[in-house]
Amino acid sequence: MTADMNQTPAVDEALSVSNLTLRYGGVTALAGVSLVVPRGAIVGLIGPNGSGKSSFINVVSGAYRGPYEGEVRINGMDVRHMPAYRRAASGMSRIFQGVRLFDTLTVEQNILLGGHIHYSTGYVAGILRTPPARREMAARREQAKEIMALFGDRLLPRADQQVLSLSYANRRRVEISRALMTSPRLLLLDEPMAGMNPHETEELTDQLRALNHAQAMSMLLVEHKMSVIGDLCANVYVLNSGTIITQGPVGVIQQDEKVVEAFLG
Amino acid sequence: MLLAFQAITQRALAAFAVTGLILAGPLGGTATAADDAIHIASTAPLTGSAAAYGIETMNGVRLAIEQINAAGGIGGKQIKLSEYDDQCDPTPAATAANQIISDRDIVAVVGNVCSSATLAQIPIFGRVGLPVLAATTSSPALSAKGYQNFARIIPNDDIQGAGSMNLGTKVLGYKRIAVLYPSDDYGQALLAIAKNAAAASGAEIVAAETYVTGSTNDFSSVLANIAAANPDALYLAGYYADMGAAVSQSVRAFGDKHIPLLANAQTQVPEYVSLAGAAAEGTWVTNVYDINNPSKENKAFVAAYTKKFNAEPGVQAAAGYDNIYVLKQAIEDNKGSTENLMPVIRATRHDGAMGTISFDKNGDNVGGSLVVLRLTGGKWVFDEASTKKLTAH
Amino acid sequence: MQFFTTQLLNGLTSGVVYAMLAVGYSLVYGILQQINFAHGYVYMFGTFVTASLITSGCPLWLAIIAGLVAGAVIAIAVERFAYRPVRGNRLAPTVTAVGVGLIIENVARLIWTSKIRPMPFPFQTDIIRLGPVVLSPLQIVVAVVGIAMAALLWIIITKTDLGRAMRAVKDDLATAELMGVPVDRVVVTVYVLGALFGVVGGILYGAYYNTLSVTMGFSGTLNAFTATVIGGIGSVWGAFAGGLLLGVLQAMVTGYVSSALLNTVTFGLLIAFLLFRPTGIAGVHVASRP
Ligand SMILES: Nc1ncnc2c1ncn2[C@@H]1O[C@H](COP(=O)(O)OP(=O)(O)OP(=O)(O)O)[C@@H](O)[C@H]1O
Ligand SMILES: [Mg+2]
C-alpha cells in the first residue's frame, strides 16, 4: 500500500486517460480518447447511444480485460496490468449501466461486500471469530449503516431484505452504497439516474453532491439527463463515435454546433 | 543408415536362429528308442510372468526324479525327463505339445502349471493317447470337459472352495453358516459351492451377503444382517483385503459374541492379518499344502528340497514332486508297463508331501489332501487333528 | 426394532462420511458450476498422509494436521495449474482434472503402493451397548465431527466475510471482482475448504472402516458424487442431506432387501436424479444462474 502511495505523482488527478483506443474486433469503440478528472471534481461524460461511454468506464474499471492502446492512470497509478480487484483497492469504484447486485444476498450483505477488500483480519481469523475479527465485523456493519443512512429511510428498514424484492430505485441505491463501502476516491457512475422518476433523480443528485463536498470524492458521471449534468458537473466531455468532439462547461458545450449535430444526427 | 540396417538384420537373424534351435527339439537330452529308460516330458512356464511357478514346479519334479533314479529307478529303469517351456500361454503351449507327441518314446506328460496352457495342450496329447498328469492347474473347466487322458495332483478350485465349508460343517460341527462373498464370478462360484457343500452335510446357509470387491469398504450393514441371522460361523468367501476389512469391522456387528471364521486359502496371507487385526484371531483356513504339515512324507520332502535348492518349498514344488511319485506308483501298479497308463493313474492312491492323493473319474484329486491351518497368536499354525478329520471325510 | 436401529445408525454413519466428501463437490460446483473431478484424488492423498503417519507412530493430532495440510497444498496446486488456466471453459477443466487426478493417484501408488492398508485409530474395536443396540465409540466420533463440520460450514458461509465473498462470486464473479473481491484467492480458498472437508471425511472413513486404498480416489467417489447429486449439486446443505439420505437408504436396502442390489440402487438413484431431477432434493436451479 505504501509503495503505491509513493508512486502517486504530485499532479493530483483522480483519473487521467490519454489517447485511449479500444477495438472490439473490427469495431473501433474508442479512438484516442483523453480525459482528466481532477481530484475532488465531478466530470461529465455525455454522448449519443453507442458512442463509447460505457466502454470507456469498462476499460478504466477493469471490467474490460482485453488490450487497449493509450494510458489509464487512476489516482496516479498506471492500471494496465492491475486486476480489477486491485483497482478497487486503490480507491476506485463504479456502478453499472444496468444495476448489478448479488441476488442471493440481502441489502446489508451486498453493501458489506464492498468492504471485503479492506478486511485486515484474514479468512482464518474470520472463521475462528477472533476478537479482532469480531470487532472489525462490527465496525464494517456500523459503516454500512452510516452509508445506508445517506439515503434516509430508503434502505435502513430494508437491510435484511433480499435485494430482488426492492424497487429499481432502491436497487440503484444499494449499488451506490456498495460502491461507497469500498471507500473510493474516484467513483465511476454509468447512468445512475436511468429509470428514476424526477423526484428520485433530484434526491440522488443532492446526495451525490453531498458526497462530493463532504468527502472530496471525485466522480466521472455518464448521464443522459442534461439537467443532472448541469447541476453537478463543472466540466463535461462529449463523446461521439469513440472520439471526444469537445469539452468544457455545460453552458458552453450546449451551444456547440458539433454537439447539437451529434445528438440530433 | 546401412550400418543400422545391417545391425538389425543380424540381430533378427540371430534371434531367428535361437528360436529355430528351441523349436528344433527339447532342451533336455535327446531321447532314442535304443536306451531302456522311461521317457517323460514336462511342460511348464520356464520363462514369462509365471516362470517363478513353473521353475519351482520343475524343481519338485527334478528332485523326485533324482531320488527315484538314485534308488534304482522304476523297476530298474531310469527316468529321463525332457523339459518344455509353455510360457503359460496357449500358443507356445500348443507348439510344445506338438513337439512332445512327435517324440514316440515319451510315455507321460507332467508338471503343468497353467490351466489356459493345459487346455490348449490336452486335445493334442489326446490324438496319440498320451496321459497328462498335471501339477497345479486348478480350473474346474479342465476336468469338466471329460478328457480321457487327464488327471491332476492339486484339488481343483471347486474342491478347494468346498474345503473350508466341509471343515466348518463336518469337522467343527457348525449347522448355521453365513457366507460373505464378492459379487463377481469368483464370488458367485464360491457361493454355489458353499450351498452344495452345506446341503451335502446337512448344514444351512442362514445368510448370504455380497459386496463389490475394490469399492465396498463399509461392511457394517451386511455384517448387521449376518449378525441378525445368528449363524454358528461365518464363511469368508472373498479376497483377503476385503475379508480383512470386513473382519476388522465385525466386532461392532457381533458385539462381544465370538463368531468363528472360515476362510479360503488366499486369505492365508499376512495382509489379511494386518487388516483384520485382533478380530482375525482363530480364523480357520484350508489350503492344499503347508510346509509345516508334520506327515513323514512332507518332512522328508521339505528336508530334501531345502538341502538341494537352499530354499523353502511351496505348493508348486510339492505338487511337482508328488506328481512324479504318483506316476512311479502307477507304473509299478501297472507291473512296470507304460502301456495304457491313464486308467491306472486314476486308480492310484498315494500319500505324498501334499497329503493323500486319489482321483475321481474325471481325474480330479479327491483324496482330500487339504490341510487345515488356524490363525493363532497372529501366526498360521498347522492343525494336525482337523487336517486328519477333514481328510478322513 | 433393534435391527432397524442398528441399520439406521450404520446408514447415518456412512452418510456423514459421504456428506464430508460431497461438500467438496458442492462448494466448487456452487461457485464455478464446475464438477471438481480431482476432488477424490486430493482427499485420498491427504488421508494417506494421515494414515501412514499414524502407522509410523506419529501422534494422532499431528498426523491429522499433516493430512489436512497435504490436502490443502495439493488442492492449491491443482487449482493453480489444472483449473485456473482453463477457468470459464466448460469441458477443459474436466480433462485437466482427470489428468491431474491420475498423476496424484500414481504418485500415491509410488509412495504407498497399491496395497490396501489398515488405518489404526483409537476405539476401533470398542463397543458400547445401548440396550440391545451395539454402538461403536467411533460412530459417536463420526457424528460429533459431522455436526461440528456442518456448524463450521454454516459459520463460514453465513457469518464470515469470506462466506459473503464466496456467495458473491457464485452470484456474479465479474461484479464481485470489480467490487474488490480477489476472486482467485476466494476460488482457491473454496478448493482448499473442499479438500479439508474431504480429508476429514477420508480420515473418518479410514478410522471407521479401517481400510484404505489409493483407488478410493476413484471408487470412493461414486457414493460421494451420488450424495452430491441427490442433494442438489451446488448446494452444500443438499450435500449433507444427500449424504445422510444415501447412507440410510443403502443400509435399509442392505438390511431389508438385498446386499446384491446395493450398487444397482446407488447407480439407479444417480441416473434417476440426473435424468429427472438434476436439481436434487434441494431443488437449486443452478443451471438458470448467469
Ligand atoms: N463487448 C462488446 N463487443 C463488441 N462491441 C461492443 C461491445 N460493447 C460495446 N460494443 C460496441 O461498442 C460501441 C460503444 O458501446 P458502448 O456501450 O460503450 O456505448 P455507450 O455510449 O455506453 O452507449 P449507451 O448510451 O447506449 O449506453 C457500440 O457500437 C457497441 O455496439
Ligand atoms: Mg452505455
Side-chain angles (χ1 to χ4, degrees):
Chain A
M1 213 52 201
T2 39
D4 290 343
M5 302 280 243
N6 292 342
Q7 280 169 21
T8 311
V11 230
D12 204 11
E13 289 166 345
L15 173 67
S16 110
V17 175
S18 44
N19 269 316
L20 175 62
T21 298
L22 172 71
R23 296 185 190 88
Y24 296 116
V27 182
T28 303
L30 298 169
V33 173
S34 297
L35 179 152
V36 168
V37 179
R39 171 80 49 229
I42 301 182
V43 168
L45 178 60
I46 62 172
N49 291 117
S51 56
K53 307 180 294 293
S54 293
S55 299
F56 183 83
I57 286 187
N58 286 343
V59 172
V60 172
S61 63
Y64 173 81
R65 290 158 172 265
Y68 60 84
E69 288 157 33
E71 192 185 58
V72 178
R73 286 181 176 275
I74 297 174
N75 297 325
M77 278 175 291
D78 186 347
V79 296
R80 184 182 300 275
H81 300 294
M82 207 185 266
Y85 79 92
R86 294 247 286 114
R87 298 184 200 194
S90 75
M92 181 247 21
S93 195
R94 66 169 289 180
I95 64 164
F96 300 85
Q97 187 166 349
V99 178
R100 277 162 70 171
L101 294 176
F102 304 113
D103 290 342
T104 63
L105 301 187
T106 64
V107 168
E108 188 192 34
Q109 288 166 344
N110 261 279
I111 297 171
L112 282 171
L113 186 100
H116 182 87
I117 200 66
H118 299 303
Y119 263 85
S120 55
T121 48
Y123 293 164
V124 175
I127 294 170
L128 297 177
R129 299 170 71 72
T130 59
R134 282 158 177 266
R135 271 197 300 278
E136 177 153 38
M137 183 85 83
R140 297 281 167 215
R141 295 189 67 172
E142 198 50 47
Q143 188 188 350
K145 212 173 266 171
E146 281 164 19
I147 289 172
M148 283 188 274
L150 293 175
F151 299 98
D153 60 359
R154 300 283 196 183
L155 298 182
L156 275 174
R158 301 183 172 83
D160 293 327
Q161 281 182 24
Q162 296 297 125
V163 286
L164 277 175
S165 67
L166 298 187
S167 70
Y168 183 82
N170 272 338
R171 288 168 59 78
R172 177 63 86 196
R173 293 183 185 109
V174 173
E175 198 191 29
I176 295 172
S177 303
R178 184 180 66 188
L180 294 178
M181 193 72 191
T182 68
S183 313
R185 288 190 287 161
L186 169 67
L187 188 57
L188 311 176
L189 300 152
D190 197 350
E191 304 199 26
M193 306 303 172
M196 298 233 178
N197 66 32
H199 175 69
E200 289 166 342
T201 303
E202 202 175 308
E203 198 181 289
L204 186 55
T205 305
D206 290 345
Q207 283 151 355
L208 290 179
R209 187 188 297 114
L211 276 171
N212 174 247
H213 282 176
Q215 304 182 15
M217 194 182 293
S218 320
M219 298 180 192
L220 177 67
L221 176 63
V222 171
E223 188 49 64
H224 276 293
K225 293 178 182 167
M226 284 309 289
S227 59
V228 178
I229 295 285
D231 280 355
L232 289 175
C233 308
N235 193 19
V236 179
Y237 288 76
V238 183
L239 197 54
N240 188 28
S241 301
T243 348
I244 300 290
I245 50 172
T246 184
Q247 77 164 94
V250 184
V252 177
I253 59 147
Q254 266 176 327
Q255 315 297 319
D256 196 315
E257 266 176 43
K258 280 180 293 181
V259 176
V260 175
E261 194 184 315
F263 275 89
L264 292 179
Chain B
M1 202 51 206
L2 189 67
L3 267 175
F5 176 75
Q6 277 178 340
I8 289 167
T9 335
Q10 271 173 3
R11 219 176 300 156
L13 282 173
F16 192 77
V18 170
T19 317
L21 273 177
I22 293 170
L23 291 176
L27 296 174
T30 51
T32 57
D35 65 2
D36 190 25
I38 295 171
H39 293 257
I40 63 174
S42 74
T43 160
L46 301 175
T47 60
S49 58
Y53 301 137
I55 289 165
E56 198 190 309
T57 308
M58 289 320 300
N59 284 345
V61 167
R62 290 174 193 141
L63 174 63
I65 292 176
E66 190 183 291
Q67 288 178 348
I68 292 168
N69 284 346
I74 305 172
K77 292 178 182 174
Q78 294 284 297
I79 303 174
K80 283 209 165 161
L81 176 71
S82 308
E83 295 181 13
Y84 292 82
D85 180 12
D86 64 29
Q87 296 174 37
C88 197
D89 179 337
T91 311
T95 309
N98 279 312
Q99 290 166 36
I100 291 171
I101 61 169
S102 70
D103 183 343
R104 293 264 146 206
D105 296 337
I106 289 174
V107 298
V109 180
V110 297
N112 308 54
V113 167
C114 296
S115 296
S116 57
T118 309
L119 270 169
Q121 291 177 323
I122 291 185
I124 299 171
F125 295 136
R127 293 210 290 267
V128 296
L130 193 58
V132 178
L133 181 54
T136 57
T137 58
S138 62
S139 166
L142 273 165
S143 45
K145 300 228 171 182
Y147 293 118
Q148 287 309 303
N149 61 325
F150 175 73
R152 61 175 137 199
I153 292 296
I154 206 170
N156 76 26
D157 290 338
D158 289 355
I159 297 166
Q160 289 183 36
S164 312
M165 279 295 295
N166 289 336
L167 171 71
T169 55
K170 293 180 179 167
V171 177
L172 302 171
Y174 300 131
K175 291 283 168 234
R176 301 169 58 81
I177 312 280
V179 185
L180 180 60
Y181 66 101
S183 57
D184 56 13
D185 289 349
Y186 172 72
Q188 306 277 358
L190 282 181
L191 176 65
I193 291 166
K195 282 181 174 161
N196 290 336
S201 55
E204 193 191 348
I205 303 288
V206 292
E209 295 292 336
T210 193
Y211 66 93
V212 182
T213 186
S215 79
T216 303
N217 290 325
D218 172 11
F219 290 92
S220 46
S221 294
V222 292
L223 288 167
N225 286 353
I226 289 171
N230 196 26
D232 296 337
L234 170 58
Y235 172 35
L236 302 167
Y239 306 99
Y240 69 85
D242 302 328
M243 297 301 100
V247 169
S248 95
Q249 292 167 37
S250 68
V251 192
R252 297 175 203 144
F254 293 105
D256 29 31
K257 176 178 180 286
H258 172 73
I259 176 97
L261 301 167
L262 308 165
N264 283 331
Q266 61 145 304
T267 307
Q268 194 195 330
V269 290
E271 286 86 350
Y272 165 74
V273 184
S274 67
L275 279 166
E281 183 71 6
T283 303
W284 295 96
V285 152
T286 57
N287 208 335
V288 291
Y289 175 72
D290 187 62
I291 191 176
N292 295 316
N293 186 339
S295 72
K296 65 177 193 308
E297 291 84 4
N298 184 50
K299 279 186 168 162
F301 162 66
V302 172
Y305 189 95
T306 315
K307 184 165 174 245
K308 182 167 167 65
F309 299 106
N310 200 21
E312 291 196 339
V315 62
Q316 309 285 345
Y321 181 83
D322 281 357
N323 211 325
I324 296 300
Y325 274 99
V326 168
L327 187 68
K328 170 176 179 278
Q329 192 174 331
I331 294 172
E332 284 168 357
D333 290 353
N334 207 22
K335 304 192 180 64
S337 164
T338 55
E339 295 295 314
N340 200 17
L341 259 184
M342 202 61 201
V344 193
I345 291 175
R346 286 187 177 175
T348 304
R349 189 181 167 92
H350 172 73
D351 286 325
M354 292 175 62
T356 304
I357 295 159
S358 69
F359 303 93
D360 68 2
K361 63 179 181 359
N362 295 322
D364 270 321
N365 173 7
V366 290
S369 61
L370 289 174
V371 294
V372 178
L373 297 106
R374 194 167 192 201
L375 191 63
T376 314
K379 295 265 181 303
W380 295 103
V381 176
F382 185 87
D383 190 311
E384 195 172 3
S386 306
T387 302
K388 282 217 173 90
K389 278 189 211 157
L390 184 63
T391 313
H393 277 286
Chain C
M1 195 57 206
Q2 172 218 333
F3 182 69
F4 176 82
T5 315
T6 301
Q7 291 295 24
L8 182 68
L9 291 174
N10 286 337
L12 288 172
T13 310
S14 48
V16 170
V17 175
Y18 296 161
M20 293 292 119
L21 305 181
V23 163
Y25 290 108
S26 270
L27 272 177
V28 169
Y29 192 91
I31 288 180
L32 298 169
Q33 279 80 55
Q34 197 71 65
I35 295 171
N36 180 7
F37 281 109
H39 179 54
Y41 302 96
V42 174
Y43 70 65
M44 173 272 290
F45 203 97
T47 307
F48 262 77
V49 168
T50 298
S52 63
L53 285 177
I54 294 177
T55 313
S56 64
C58 178
L60 189 61
W61 63 270
L62 193 64
I64 292 174
I65 289 176
L68 290 170
V69 169
V73 167
I74 296 173
I76 291 169
V78 169
E79 195 279 333
R80 183 68 192 80
F81 297 108
Y83 287 130
R84 196 180 298 179
V86 290
R87 191 190 298 159
N89 188 315
R90 290 299 286 180
L91 185 65
T94 309
V95 179
T96 53
V98 171
V100 83
L102 289 178
I103 294 174
I104 296 172
E105 185 176 324
N106 282 311
V107 170
R109 263 182 222 286
L110 281 179
I111 304 176
W112 294 295
T113 76
S114 310
K115 267 195 196 151
I116 295 175
R117 57 157 61 218
M119 180 166 145
F121 208 83
F123 314 126
Q124 245 159 0
T125 53
D126 298 339
I127 52 169
I128 301 169
R129 287 188 177 281
L130 291 176
V133 177
V134 177
L135 197 70
S136 160
L138 274 179
Q139 281 177 304
I140 296 169
V141 171
V142 169
V144 168
V145 172
I147 292 168
M149 292 300 279
L152 180 68
L153 195 60
W154 182 75
I155 287 176
I156 292 173
I157 290 180
T158 64
K159 298 280 170 198
T160 70
D161 179 55
L162 168 66
R164 197 186 303 120
M166 279 162 49
R167 289 155 72 198
V169 170
K170 168 185 186 155
D171 277 355
D172 186 341
L173 186 144
T175 304
E177 174 150 30
L178 285 164
M179 289 303 119
V181 175
V183 170
D184 284 344
R185 199 186 308 160
V186 170
V187 165
V188 91
T189 308
V190 167
Y191 277 99
V192 167
L193 278 177
L196 293 180
F197 274 81
V199 175
V200 169
I203 293 172
L204 291 177
Y205 195 105
Y208 189 61
Y209 303 129
N210 190 30
T211 168
L212 291 175
S213 89
V214 290
T215 57
M216 75 187 271
F218 180 75
S219 63
T221 292
L222 174 67
N223 287 321
F225 189 66
T226 306
T228 317
V229 171
I230 292 176
I233 186 160
S235 153
V236 287
W237 307 124
F240 271 91
L244 293 179
L245 203 73
L246 181 67
V248 170
L249 199 78
Q250 287 181 339
M252 293 304 162
V253 167
T254 304
Y256 291 99
V257 191
S258 164
S259 50
L261 283 179
L262 201 59
N263 261 29
T264 318
V265 167
T266 308
F267 269 115
L269 268 180
L270 178 60
I271 292 165
F273 266 91
L274 285 174
L275 284 180
F276 303 115
R277 197 165 169 82
T279 56
I281 46 173
V284 220
H285 290 276
V286 274
S288 63
R289 287 225 185 90

